[in-house]
Amino acid sequence: AGLAVIQAFNPLLLGFSGFLIFSSYQLLFGGEDEDEDEEPPEVITATLDKLPLSGTFEGDKFFVPSKDGKSTQLTQLTATLVCIALCDVLFAVDSIP
């Protein structure tokens, strides 16, 4: 059953493999860049602009009402936990032999 699942997701695994090879090539042969002076990638800034994030620390709350009171915004804690969960899923998929 496990082999059938791996064969079903073979294109996805090949995509992850290509990404790992590309990133390892960049680490090995890339130039010495100053990360402190660089802006975040445009994909990241565009995504953050579209998400309804509060932009402030709200303690242990995941959602807070927006300033106009018409909608709900996600807190920084929610965004952090989503990023950690996505990294966990990527690590789990990468760990399949």
Coordinates of all heavy atoms in Angstrom, one line a residue:
A1 N 0.8 -1.2 0.0 CA 0.0 0.0 0.0 C 0.9 1.3 0.0 O 0.5 2.2 -0.6 CB -0.9 0.0 1.2
G2 N 2.0 1.2 0.7 CA 2.9 2.4 0.8 C 3.5 2.7 -0.6 O 3.7 3.8 -1.0
L3 N 3.9 1.6 -1.3 CA 4.5 1.8 -2.6 C 3.5 2.4 -3.6 O 3.9 3.3 -4.4 CB 5.0 0.4 -3.1 CG 5.7 0.4 -4.5 CD1 6.9 1.3 -4.4 CD2 6.1 -1.0 -4.9
A4 N 2.2 2.0 -3.5 CA 1.2 2.6 -4.4 C 1.0 4.1 -4.1 O 0.9 4.9 -5.0 CB -0.1 1.9 -4.2
V5 N 1.1 4.5 -2.8 CA 1.0 5.9 -2.5 C 2.2 6.7 -3.0 O 2.0 7.8 -3.6 CB 0.8 6.1 -1.0 CG1 0.9 7.5 -0.5 CG2 -0.5 5.5 -0.5
I6 N 3.4 6.1 -2.9 CA 4.6 6.8 -3.4 C 4.5 7.0 -4.9 O 4.9 8.0 -5.4 CB 5.8 6.1 -2.9 CG1 6.0 6.3 -1.4 CG2 7.1 6.6 -3.6 CD1 7.1 5.5 -0.8
Q7 N 4.1 5.9 -5.6 CA 4.0 6.0 -7.0 C 2.9 7.0 -7.4 O 3.0 7.7 -8.5 CB 3.7 4.6 -7.6 CG 4.9 3.7 -7.5 CD 4.6 2.3 -8.1 OE1 3.4 2.0 -8.3 NE2 5.6 1.5 -8.3
A8 N 1.8 7.2 -6.7 CA 0.8 8.1 -7.0 C 1.3 9.6 -6.9 O 0.9 10.5 -7.6 CB -0.4 7.9 -6.1
F9 N 2.2 9.8 -5.9 CA 2.7 11.1 -5.7 C 4.1 11.3 -6.3 O 4.8 12.2 -5.9 CB 2.8 11.4 -4.2 CG 1.4 11.6 -3.5 CD1 0.8 10.7 -2.8 CD2 0.8 12.9 -3.7 CE1 -0.4 10.9 -2.3 CE2 -0.5 13.1 -3.2 CZ -1.1 12.1 -2.4
N10 N 4.5 10.5 -7.2 CA 5.8 10.6 -7.8 C 6.1 11.9 -8.4 O 7.2 12.4 -8.2 CB 6.0 9.4 -8.8 CG 7.4 9.2 -9.2 OD1 8.3 9.6 -8.5 ND2 7.6 8.6 -10.4
P11 N 5.2 12.6 -9.2 CA 5.6 13.9 -9.7 C 5.8 14.9 -8.6 O 6.7 15.7 -8.8 CB 4.3 14.3 -10.5 CG 3.7 13.0 -10.9 CD 4.0 12.1 -9.7
L12 N 5.1 14.8 -7.5 CA 5.3 15.8 -6.4 C 6.7 15.5 -5.8 O 7.4 16.5 -5.5 CB 4.2 15.6 -5.4 CG 4.2 16.6 -4.2 CD1 4.0 18.0 -4.7 CD2 3.2 16.2 -3.2
L13 N 7.0 14.3 -5.6 CA 8.3 14.0 -5.0 C 9.5 14.4 -6.0 O 10.5 14.8 -5.5 CB 8.4 12.5 -4.7 CG 7.5 12.0 -3.6 CD1 7.6 10.4 -3.5 CD2 7.8 12.6 -2.3
L14 N 9.3 14.2 -7.3 CA 10.3 14.7 -8.2 C 10.4 16.2 -8.1 O 11.6 16.7 -8.2 CB 9.9 14.3 -9.6 CG 10.1 12.8 -9.9 CD1 9.6 12.5 -11.3 CD2 11.5 12.4 -9.8
G15 N 9.3 16.9 -7.9 CA 9.4 18.4 -7.8 C 10.2 18.8 -6.5 O 11.1 19.7 -6.6
F16 N 9.9 18.1 -5.4 CA 10.7 18.4 -4.2 C 12.2 18.0 -4.4 O 13.1 18.7 -3.9 CB 10.1 17.6 -3.0 CG 8.9 18.1 -2.5 CD1 7.8 17.3 -2.1 CD2 8.7 19.5 -2.3 CE1 6.6 17.8 -1.6 CE2 7.5 20.0 -1.8 CZ 6.5 19.2 -1.4
S17 N 12.4 16.9 -5.1 CA 13.8 16.5 -5.3 C 14.6 17.6 -6.2 O 15.7 17.9 -5.9 CB 13.9 15.2 -6.1 OG 13.3 14.2 -5.3
G18 N 13.9 18.1 -7.2 CA 14.5 19.2 -8.0 C 14.8 20.4 -7.2 O 15.8 21.0 -7.3
F19 N 13.8 20.8 -6.3 CA 14.0 21.9 -5.4 C 15.2 21.7 -4.5 O 16.0 22.6 -4.3 CB 12.8 22.2 -4.6 CG 13.0 23.3 -3.6 CD1 13.0 24.6 -4.0 CD2 13.0 23.0 -2.3 CE1 13.2 25.6 -3.1 CE2 13.2 24.0 -1.3 CZ 13.3 25.3 -1.7
L20 N 15.4 20.5 -3.9 CA 16.5 20.2 -3.1 C 17.8 20.3 -3.8 O 18.8 20.8 -3.3 CB 16.3 18.9 -2.4 CG 15.3 18.8 -1.3 CD1 15.1 17.4 -0.8 CD2 15.6 19.7 -0.1
I21 N 17.9 19.8 -5.0 CA 19.1 19.8 -5.8 C 19.4 21.3 -6.2 O 20.6 21.7 -6.1 CB 19.0 18.9 -7.1 CG1 18.9 17.5 -6.7 CG2 20.1 19.2 -8.1 CD1 18.6 16.5 -7.8
F22 N 18.4 22.0 -6.5 CA 18.7 23.4 -6.9 C 19.2 24.2 -5.7 O 20.2 25.0 -5.8 CB 17.4 24.1 -7.4 CG 17.5 25.5 -7.6 CD1 18.2 26.1 -8.7 CD2 16.8 26.4 -6.7 CE1 18.2 27.4 -8.9 CE2 16.9 27.8 -6.9 CZ 17.6 28.3 -8.0
S23 N 18.6 24.0 -4.5 CA 19.0 24.8 -3.3 C 20.4 24.3 -2.9 O 21.2 25.2 -2.4 CB 18.0 24.7 -2.2 OG 17.8 23.3 -1.8
S24 N 20.7 23.1 -3.0 CA 22.0 22.6 -2.6 C 23.1 23.2 -3.5 O 24.2 23.5 -3.1 CB 22.1 21.1 -2.5 OG 21.9 20.5 -3.8
Y25 N 22.8 23.3 -4.8 CA 23.7 23.9 -5.8 C 23.9 25.3 -5.4 O 25.1 25.8 -5.5 CB 23.1 23.7 -7.2 CG 24.0 24.4 -8.2 CD1 25.1 23.8 -8.7 CD2 23.7 25.7 -8.7 CE1 26.0 24.4 -9.6 CE2 24.5 26.3 -9.7 CZ 25.6 25.7 -10.1 OH 26.4 26.3 -11.0
Q26 N 22.9 26.0 -5.1 CA 23.1 27.5 -4.7 C 23.9 27.6 -3.4 O 24.7 28.5 -3.3 CB 21.7 28.1 -4.5 CG 21.0 28.5 -5.7 CD 19.7 29.3 -5.4 OE1 19.1 29.1 -4.4 NE2 19.4 30.3 -6.2
L27 N 23.7 26.7 -2.5 CA 24.5 26.8 -1.3 C 26.0 26.5 -1.5 O 26.9 27.1 -1.0 CB 24.0 25.8 -0.2 CG 22.7 26.2 0.5 CD1 22.2 25.1 1.4 CD2 22.9 27.5 1.3
L28 N 26.3 25.5 -2.4 CA 27.6 25.1 -2.7 C 28.4 26.1 -3.6 O 29.5 26.5 -3.3 CB 27.7 23.8 -3.4 CG 27.4 22.6 -2.5 CD1 27.3 21.3 -3.3 CD2 28.4 22.4 -1.4
F29 N 27.7 26.6 -4.6 CA 28.4 27.4 -5.6 C 27.9 28.9 -5.7 O 28.4 29.6 -6.5 CB 28.2 26.8 -7.0 CG 28.8 25.4 -7.1 CD1 28.0 24.3 -7.2 CD2 30.2 25.2 -7.0 CE1 28.5 23.0 -7.2 CE2 30.7 23.9 -7.0 CZ 29.9 22.8 -7.2
G30 N 27.0 29.2 -4.8 CA 26.5 30.6 -4.9 C 27.5 31.6 -4.3 O 28.4 31.2 -3.5
G31 N 27.4 32.8 -4.7 CA 28.3 33.8 -4.2 C 28.0 34.2 -2.8 O 27.0 33.8 -2.2
E32 N 28.9 34.9 -2.2 CA 28.7 35.4 -0.8 C 27.8 36.6 -0.8 O 28.3 37.7 -1.1 CB 30.1 35.6 -0.1 CG 31.0 34.5 -0.3 CD 31.7 34.2 1.0 OE1 31.4 34.9 2.0 OE2 32.5 33.2 1.1
D33 N 26.6 36.4 -0.4 CA 25.6 37.5 -0.4 C 25.5 38.0 1.0 O 25.5 37.3 2.0 CB 24.3 37.0 -0.9 CG 24.3 36.6 -2.4 OD1 25.2 37.2 -3.1 OD2 23.5 35.8 -2.7
E34 N 25.2 39.3 1.2 CA 24.9 39.9 2.4 C 23.4 39.8 2.6 O 22.6 40.6 2.1 CB 25.4 41.3 2.5 CG 26.9 41.5 2.4 CD 27.5 41.0 3.7 OE1 26.9 41.1 4.8 OE2 28.6 40.5 3.6
D35 N 22.9 38.9 3.5 CA 21.5 38.7 3.7 C 20.9 39.8 4.5 O 19.7 40.0 4.3 CB 21.3 37.3 4.4 CG 21.6 36.1 3.5 OD1 21.5 36.3 2.3 OD2 21.8 35.1 4.1
E36 N 21.6 40.5 5.3 CA 21.1 41.6 6.1 C 20.5 42.7 5.3 O 19.6 43.4 5.7 CB 22.1 42.1 7.1 CG 22.5 41.0 8.1 CD 23.7 40.2 7.6 OE1 24.4 40.6 6.7 OE2 23.8 39.0 8.1
D37 N 21.2 43.0 4.1 CA 20.8 44.2 3.4 C 19.7 43.9 2.3 O 19.2 44.8 1.7 CB 22.0 44.7 2.7 CG 23.1 45.2 3.6 OD1 22.7 45.6 4.8 OD2 24.3 45.2 3.3
E38 N 19.4 42.6 2.1 CA 18.4 42.3 1.1 C 17.0 42.4 1.6 O 16.7 42.2 2.7 CB 18.7 40.9 0.6 CG 20.0 40.7 -0.1 CD 20.2 39.3 -0.6 OE1 19.2 38.5 -0.5 OE2 21.2 39.0 -1.1
E39 N 16.1 42.8 0.6 CA 14.7 42.8 0.9 C 14.1 41.4 0.8 O 14.7 40.6 0.1 CB 14.0 43.8 -0.1 CG 14.4 45.2 0.1 CD 13.9 45.8 1.4 OE1 12.7 45.5 1.8 OE2 14.6 46.6 2.0
P40 N 13.0 41.1 1.5 CA 12.4 39.8 1.3 C 11.9 39.7 -0.2 O 11.7 40.6 -0.9 CB 11.2 39.9 2.2 CG 11.4 41.0 3.1 CD 12.3 41.9 2.5
P41 N 11.9 38.4 -0.6 CA 11.4 38.2 -2.0 C 10.0 38.8 -2.3 O 9.2 38.9 -1.4 CB 11.4 36.7 -2.2 CG 12.3 36.2 -1.1 CD 12.2 37.2 0.0
E42 N 9.8 39.1 -3.5 CA 8.5 39.7 -3.9 C 7.3 38.8 -3.7 O 6.3 39.3 -3.3 CB 8.6 40.2 -5.4 CG 7.4 41.0 -5.8 CD 7.5 41.5 -7.2 OE1 8.7 41.8 -7.6 OE2 6.5 41.7 -7.8
V43 N 7.6 37.5 -3.8 CA 6.5 36.5 -3.6 C 6.1 36.6 -2.1 O 4.9 36.6 -1.8 CB 7.0 35.1 -3.9 CG1 6.0 34.1 -3.5 CG2 7.3 35.0 -5.4
I44 N 7.0 36.7 -1.2 CA 6.7 36.8 0.2 C 6.0 38.1 0.6 O 4.9 38.1 1.3 CB 8.0 36.7 1.1 CG1 8.7 35.4 0.8 CG2 7.7 36.9 2.6 CD1 8.0 34.2 1.2
T45 N 6.4 39.2 0.1 CA 5.8 40.5 0.4 C 4.4 40.6 -0.2 O 3.5 41.1 0.4 CB 6.6 41.7 -0.1 OG1 6.9 41.5 -1.5 CG2 7.9 41.8 0.7
A46 N 4.2 40.0 -1.4 CA 2.9 40.0 -2.1 C 1.9 39.1 -1.3 O 0.7 39.5 -1.1 CB 3.0 39.5 -3.5
T47 N 2.4 38.0 -0.8 CA 1.5 37.1 0.0 C 1.2 37.7 1.3 O 0.0 37.7 1.7 CB 2.3 35.8 0.2 OG1 2.6 35.2 -1.0 CG2 1.4 34.8 1.0
L48 N 2.1 38.4 2.0 CA 1.8 39.0 3.2 C 0.9 40.2 3.1 O 0.1 40.4 4.0 CB 3.1 39.4 3.9 CG 4.0 38.3 4.5 CD1 5.3 38.9 5.0 CD2 3.3 37.5 5.5
D49 N 1.0 40.9 2.0 CA 0.0 42.0 1.7 C -1.4 41.5 1.5 O -2.3 42.2 1.9 CB 0.5 42.8 0.5 CG 1.7 43.6 0.8 OD1 2.0 43.8 2.0 OD2 2.4 44.0 -0.2
K50 N -1.6 40.3 1.0 CA -2.9 39.8 0.7 C -3.5 39.1 2.0 O -4.8 39.0 2.0 CB -2.9 38.8 -0.4 CG -2.6 39.5 -1.7 CD -2.6 38.6 -2.9 CE -2.3 39.3 -4.2 NZ -2.4 38.5 -5.3
L51 N -2.7 38.7 2.9 CA -3.3 38.0 4.1 C -3.8 39.0 5.1 O -3.2 40.1 5.3 CB -2.2 37.1 4.7 CG -1.7 35.9 4.0 CD1 -0.6 35.3 4.7 CD2 -2.9 34.9 3.9
P52 N -4.9 38.7 5.8 CA -5.4 39.6 6.8 C -4.7 39.5 8.1 O -5.2 38.9 9.1 CB -6.9 39.2 6.9 CG -6.9 37.8 6.5 CD -5.8 37.6 5.5
L53 N -3.5 40.0 8.2 CA -2.7 39.9 9.4 C -2.8 41.1 10.2 O -2.9 42.2 9.7 CB -1.2 39.6 9.1 CG -0.9 38.3 8.5 CD1 0.6 38.2 8.0 CD2 -1.2 37.2 9.4
S54 N -2.8 41.0 11.5 CA -3.0 42.2 12.4 C -1.7 43.0 12.5 O -1.8 44.2 12.6 CB -3.4 41.7 13.8 OG -2.4 41.0 14.4
G55 N -0.6 42.3 12.4 CA 0.7 43.1 12.4 C 1.2 43.4 13.8 O 2.2 44.1 14.0
T56 N 0.4 43.0 14.8 CA 0.8 43.3 16.2 C 0.8 42.0 17.0 O 0.2 41.0 16.6 CB -0.2 44.3 16.8 OG1 -1.5 43.7 16.8 CG2 -0.2 45.6 16.1
F57 N 1.5 42.0 18.1 CA 1.5 40.9 19.0 C 0.2 40.9 19.9 O -0.1 41.9 20.5 CB 2.7 40.9 19.9 CG 2.8 39.8 20.9 CD1 3.0 38.5 20.4 CD2 2.6 40.0 22.2 CE1 3.0 37.4 21.3 CE2 2.7 39.0 23.1 CZ 2.9 37.7 22.7
E58 N -0.5 39.9 19.9 CA -1.8 39.8 20.6 C -1.9 38.7 21.7 O -2.9 38.2 22.0 CB -3.0 39.6 19.6 CG -3.1 40.6 18.5 CD -3.6 42.0 19.1 OE1 -4.2 42.0 20.1 OE2 -3.3 43.0 18.4
G59 N -0.7 38.4 22.2 CA -0.7 37.4 23.3 C -0.9 36.0 22.7 O -0.3 35.6 21.7
D60 N -1.8 35.2 23.3 CA -2.1 33.9 22.9 C -3.3 33.7 22.0 O -3.9 32.7 21.8 CB -2.3 32.9 24.1 CG -3.4 33.4 25.0 OD1 -4.0 34.4 24.8 OD2 -3.7 32.6 25.9
K61 N -3.8 34.8 21.4 CA -4.9 34.8 20.5 C -4.5 34.5 19.1 O -3.5 34.9 18.6 CB -5.6 36.2 20.5 CG -6.2 36.6 21.9 CD -6.8 37.9 21.8 CE -7.3 38.3 23.2 NZ -7.9 39.7 23.1
F62 N -5.4 33.7 18.4 CA -5.1 33.3 17.0 C -5.8 34.3 16.1 O -5.3 34.5 15.0 CB -5.6 31.9 16.7 CG -4.8 30.8 17.4 CD1 -5.3 30.0 18.3 CD2 -3.5 30.6 17.0 CE1 -4.6 29.1 18.9 CE2 -2.7 29.7 17.6 CZ -3.3 28.9 18.6
F63 N -7.0 34.8 16.5 CA -7.7 35.7 15.7 C -8.1 36.9 16.5 O -8.4 36.8 17.7 CB -9.0 35.1 15.1 CG -8.8 33.8 14.4 CD1 -8.9 32.6 15.0 CD2 -8.4 33.9 13.0 CE1 -8.6 31.4 14.3 CE2 -8.2 32.7 12.3 CZ -8.3 31.5 12.9
V64 N -8.2 38.1 15.9 CA -8.6 39.3 16.6 C -9.6 40.1 15.6 O -9.4 40.0 14.4 CB -7.5 40.2 17.0 CG1 -6.6 39.6 18.1 CG2 -6.6 40.6 15.8
P65 N -10.5 40.8 16.2 CA -11.4 41.6 15.3 C -10.5 42.7 14.6 O -9.6 43.3 15.2 CB -12.4 42.2 16.2 CG -12.0 41.9 17.6 CD -10.9 40.9 17.5
S66 N -10.9 43.1 13.4 CA -10.2 44.1 12.7 C -10.5 45.5 13.3 O -11.4 45.6 14.1 CB -10.5 44.1 11.2 OG -11.9 44.4 11.0
K67 N -9.8 46.5 12.9 CA -10.0 47.8 13.5 C -11.3 48.4 13.1 O -11.9 49.1 13.9 CB -8.9 48.8 13.0 CG -7.5 48.4 13.6 CD -6.4 49.3 13.1 CE -5.1 48.8 13.7 NZ -4.0 49.6 13.3
D68 N -11.9 48.0 11.9 CA -13.2 48.5 11.6 C -14.3 47.7 12.2 O -15.5 48.1 12.1 CB -13.3 48.6 10.0 CG -13.2 47.3 9.3 OD1 -13.0 46.2 10.0 OD2 -13.2 47.3 8.1
G69 N -14.0 46.5 12.7 CA -15.0 45.7 13.4 C -15.8 44.8 12.4 O -16.7 44.1 12.9
K70 N -15.5 44.9 11.1 CA -16.3 44.1 10.2 C -15.8 42.7 9.9 O -16.5 41.9 9.4 CB -16.4 44.9 8.9 CG -17.2 46.2 9.0 CD -17.2 46.9 7.7 CE -17.9 48.2 7.8 NZ -17.9 49.0 6.5
S71 N -14.5 42.5 10.1 CA -13.9 41.2 9.8 C -13.0 40.8 10.9 O -12.8 41.4 11.9 CB -13.2 41.3 8.5 OG -12.1 42.2 8.6
T72 N -12.4 39.6 10.7 CA -11.4 39.1 11.6 C -10.1 39.0 11.0 O -9.9 38.7 9.8 CB -11.9 37.6 12.0 OG1 -13.2 37.7 12.6 CG2 -10.9 37.0 13.1
Q73 N -9.0 39.3 11.8 CA -7.6 39.2 11.3 C -6.9 38.1 12.0 O -7.2 37.8 13.1 CB -6.9 40.6 11.5 CG -7.4 41.7 10.7 CD -6.6 43.0 10.9 OE1 -6.2 43.3 12.0 NE2 -6.4 43.7 9.8
L74 N -5.9 37.6 11.3 CA -5.0 36.6 11.9 C -3.9 37.3 12.6 O -3.4 38.4 12.2 CB -4.4 35.7 10.8 CG -5.3 35.0 9.8 CD1 -4.6 34.4 8.7 CD2 -6.2 34.0 10.5
T75 N -3.5 36.7 13.7 CA -2.4 37.3 14.5 C -1.0 36.7 14.0 O -1.0 35.8 13.2 CB -2.5 37.0 16.0 OG1 -2.4 35.6 16.2 CG2 -3.8 37.5 16.5
Q76 N 0.0 37.3 14.5 CA 1.4 36.8 14.1 C 1.6 35.4 14.6 O 2.3 34.6 14.0 CB 2.4 37.8 14.7 CG 2.3 39.2 14.2 CD 2.5 39.3 12.7 OE1 3.4 38.6 12.1 NE2 1.7 40.1 12.0
L77 N 1.0 35.1 15.7 CA 1.1 33.7 16.2 C 0.5 32.7 15.3 O 1.1 31.6 15.0 CB 0.3 33.6 17.6 CG 0.3 32.2 18.2 CD1 1.7 31.7 18.6 CD2 -0.6 32.3 19.5
T78 N -0.6 33.0 14.7 CA -1.3 32.1 13.7 C -0.3 32.0 12.5 O -0.1 30.8 12.0 CB -2.6 32.7 13.2 OG1 -3.4 33.0 14.4 CG2 -3.3 31.7 12.3
A79 N 0.2 33.0 12.0 CA 1.1 33.0 10.8 C 2.3 32.1 11.1 O 2.8 31.3 10.3 CB 1.5 34.4 10.4
T80 N 2.9 32.3 12.3 CA 4.1 31.5 12.7 C 3.7 30.0 12.8 O 4.5 29.2 12.3 CB 4.6 32.0 14.1 OG1 4.9 33.4 14.0 CG2 5.8 31.3 14.5
L81 N 2.6 29.7 13.4 CA 2.2 28.3 13.5 C 2.0 27.6 12.2 O 2.3 26.5 11.9 CB 1.1 28.1 14.5 CG 1.4 28.4 15.9 CD1 0.1 28.3 16.8 CD2 2.4 27.5 16.5
V82 N 1.4 28.4 11.2 CA 1.1 27.9 9.9 C 2.5 27.6 9.2 O 2.6 26.6 8.5 CB 0.3 28.8 9.1 CG1 0.3 28.5 7.6 CG2 -1.2 28.8 9.6
C83 N 3.4 28.5 9.3 CA 4.8 28.3 8.7 C 5.4 27.1 9.3 O 6.1 26.3 8.6 CB 5.6 29.5 8.9 SG 5.1 30.9 7.9
I84 N 5.4 26.9 10.6 CA 6.0 25.7 11.3 C 5.3 24.4 10.8 O 6.0 23.4 10.5 CB 5.9 25.9 12.8 CG1 6.8 27.0 13.3 CG2 6.3 24.5 13.5 CD1 6.7 27.3 14.7
A85 N 4.0 24.5 10.7 CA 3.3 23.3 10.2 C 3.6 22.9 8.7 O 3.8 21.8 8.4 CB 1.8 23.5 10.3
L86 N 3.8 23.9 7.9 CA 4.2 23.7 6.5 C 5.6 23.1 6.4 O 5.9 22.2 5.6 CB 4.1 25.0 5.7 CG 2.6 25.4 5.4 CD1 2.7 26.8 4.7 CD2 1.9 24.4 4.5
C87 N 6.5 23.7 7.3 CA 7.8 23.1 7.3 C 7.8 21.7 7.8 O 8.6 20.8 7.2 CB 8.7 24.0 8.2 SG 9.1 25.6 7.5
D88 N 7.0 21.4 8.7 CA 6.9 20.0 9.2 C 6.4 19.0 8.1 O 6.9 17.9 8.0 CB 5.9 20.0 10.4 CG 6.0 18.6 11.1 OD1 7.0 18.0 11.2 OD2 4.9 18.2 11.6
V89 N 5.4 19.5 7.3 CA 4.9 18.7 6.2 C 6.0 18.5 5.2 O 6.2 17.3 4.7 CB 3.6 19.3 5.6 CG1 3.2 18.6 4.3 CG2 2.5 19.2 6.6
L90 N 6.7 19.5 4.8 CA 7.8 19.4 3.8 C 8.8 18.4 4.3 O 9.4 17.6 3.6 CB 8.4 20.8 3.5 CG 7.5 21.6 2.6 CD1 8.2 23.0 2.5 CD2 7.4 21.0 1.2
F91 N 9.2 18.5 5.6 CA 10.2 17.6 6.1 C 9.7 16.2 6.1 O 10.5 15.3 5.8 CB 10.6 18.0 7.6 CG 11.6 17.2 8.2 CD1 12.9 17.3 7.8 CD2 11.3 16.3 9.2 CE1 13.9 16.5 8.4 CE2 12.2 15.4 9.8 CZ 13.5 15.6 9.4
A92 N 8.4 16.0 6.4 CA 7.9 14.6 6.4 C 7.9 14.0 5.0 O 8.2 12.9 4.8 CB 6.5 14.6 7.0
V93 N 7.5 14.8 4.0 CA 7.5 14.3 2.7 C 8.9 14.1 2.2 O 9.2 13.1 1.5 CB 6.8 15.4 1.7 CG1 7.0 15.0 0.3 CG2 5.3 15.4 2.1
D94 N 9.8 14.9 2.6 CA 11.2 14.7 2.2 C 11.8 13.5 2.8 O 12.8 12.9 2.3 CB 12.0 16.0 2.6 CG 13.5 15.9 2.2 OD1 13.7 15.5 1.0 OD2 14.3 16.1 3.0
S95 N 11.3 13.1 4.0 CA 11.9 12.0 4.7 C 11.4 10.6 4.2 O 11.9 9.6 4.6 CB 11.5 12.1 6.2 OG 12.1 13.2 6.7
I96 N 10.5 10.6 3.2 CA 10.1 9.3 2.7 C 11.2 8.7 1.8 O 11.7 9.4 1.0 CB 8.8 9.5 1.8 CG1 7.6 10.0 2.6 CG2 8.5 8.2 1.1 CD1 6.4 10.3 1.8
P97 N 11.6 7.5 2.2 CA 12.8 6.9 1.4 C 12.5 6.6 0.0 O 11.4 6.4 -0.5 CB 13.1 5.6 2.2 CG 11.9 5.3 3.0 CD 11.1 6.6 3.2

